[in-house]
Structure formats: structure tokens, C-alpha cells
Amino acid sequence: QAADSKREQFRQYLEKSGVLDMLTKVLVALYEEPEKPDSALDFLKHHLGASAPENPELEALRLEVAEMKEKYDAVLDENKKLKNKVKVY
């Protein structure tokens, strides 16, 4: 039971210090990667090693880039459809 107590104290320590949250964020980022990296360990090292406190401006820019990628894909799709229509005429 002493081992369980120490384990729980350690878990609480990791939670309070933000380690669990950071690990979760990095693992979710890896999960959401469309093309998985050759080395998951290198991905984790890169994202954890360069982990400064999140800048809200940086997060906003990341969201904007994601939105722009979606719009770009939609425009490419529309362009392809329009080219096909032009070929018919």
C-alpha cells in the first residue's frame, strides 16, 4: 500500500506541474498527424524539447493556418470541377 501511495503522490506531482497535460497535448498532436513520422520518439523529443509556454498568438496562427489549408483544399476541388465543366463545353 505504501507503493500505491507513492505512485499516487507522483501522479499528483506530474499533474500539478503540467507534465501530464503537456504529454497529452504532444501525444494528441502525434495522433492527429496525417502523415505519421518515421520516428515517434523523435517527434516527441522535438515537441517536448521545444516546449515553451504556449503563446496565445502562436495558437491563433496555428488555427488560422489549419483554416487556410481547408479553404485551399476546397478551392482546389472547386477548380477541378470547373475545369471538368469547361472541358464539356
Side-chain angles (χ1 to χ4, degrees), residues 20-79:
L20 291 180
D21 187 45
M22 182 59 68
L23 284 174
T24 301
K25 285 180 183 179
V26 173
L27 290 173
V28 167
L30 177 59
Y31 175 78
E32 292 176 346
E33 277 291 310
E35 294 180 26
K36 302 296 184 239
D38 292 333
S39 172
L41 187 56
D42 286 343
F43 181 91
L44 293 174
K45 285 179 183 178
H46 172 74
H47 283 79
L48 289 174
S51 60
E54 276 298 313
N55 182 344
E57 197 173 309
L58 182 61
E59 185 60 31
L61 289 172
R62 284 186 184 138
L63 289 173
E64 186 177 349
V65 166
E67 290 173 7
M68 291 295 143
K69 284 181 181 179
E70 287 180 20
K71 287 180 183 179
Y72 173 76
D73 290 339
V75 168
L76 284 180
D77 189 44
E78 180 184 13
N79 188 0

